[in-house]
Amino acid sequence: MRDTVLLSFAACNADLLSIDEWSVRRVDDRNIEVTVTVNSRAQKPIRMLDADFGFKDVLGGHVAADTFDRDVEIAGGGSATTIRKWPTTFERLLKLKHDEVTAYACVRGVVYEDGTKEEFK
């Protein structure tokens, strides 16, 4: 199981990726499953990513966060879906209404298919 991280927006591009779809469901008494579909605003295909995604409540409070797989591949202007199992310590995400939650992405670095690299510091 992946450790969940708290995000720092000091060095973050919040515009390169957007999260337009997400869902959460209880798997069992110990786990929930979170599915996040991220859309790339990059013109070039992405082959490596240093980025997090997370959720805030309607008052801006932290609900939960995790990292994207580093070796995710996303076509230029395309999308990719990530599925994570989290412990029920994040079940607040199940309790909140979908419209009370904002999903976000924070990109610190990206490597494109052509080998060029961008870092956001």
Side-chain angles (χ1 to χ4, degrees):
M1 179 172 298
R2 230 174 230 288
D3 290 331
T4 301
V5 295
L6 294 177
L7 301 179
S8 167
F9 290 103
C12 176
N13 180 318
D15 297 322
L16 190 64
L17 300 177
S18 66
I19 298 173
D20 295 331
E21 295 180 36
W22 64 272
S23 64
V24 60
R25 70 178 186 92
R26 182 178 301 282
V27 176
D28 54 36
D29 288 344
R30 294 184 179 169
N31 298 289
I32 62 174
E33 181 180 87
V34 177
T35 302
V36 174
T37 299
V38 64
N39 297 304
S40 173
R41 293 186 177 129
Q43 299 301 309
K44 301 186 270 186
I46 295 171
R47 71 171 180 191
M48 190 183 309
L49 190 61
D50 179 10
D52 300 316
F53 66 92
F55 302 92
K56 290 184 179 187
D57 65 27
V58 71
L59 295 175
H62 174 77
V63 177
D66 205 343
T67 58
F68 285 105
D69 289 331
R70 279 184 92 76
D71 297 323
V72 66
E73 294 182 11
I74 307 173
S79 64
T81 300
T82 297
I83 300 172
R84 290 279 193 269
K85 285 192 179 163
W86 287 347
T88 54
T89 53
F90 297 106
E91 75 177 322
R92 181 168 182 240
L93 200 53
L94 288 168
K95 294 177 183 177
L96 294 169
K97 294 177 183 176
H98 202 275
D99 63 353
E100 295 176 334
V101 177
T102 300
Y104 58 88
C106 170
V107 180
R108 288 177 298 282
V110 61
V111 177
Y112 297 102
E113 189 59 42
D114 65 5
T116 57
K117 177 172 84 170
E118 272 189 287
E119 291 183 281
F120 307 100
K121 297 180 180 188

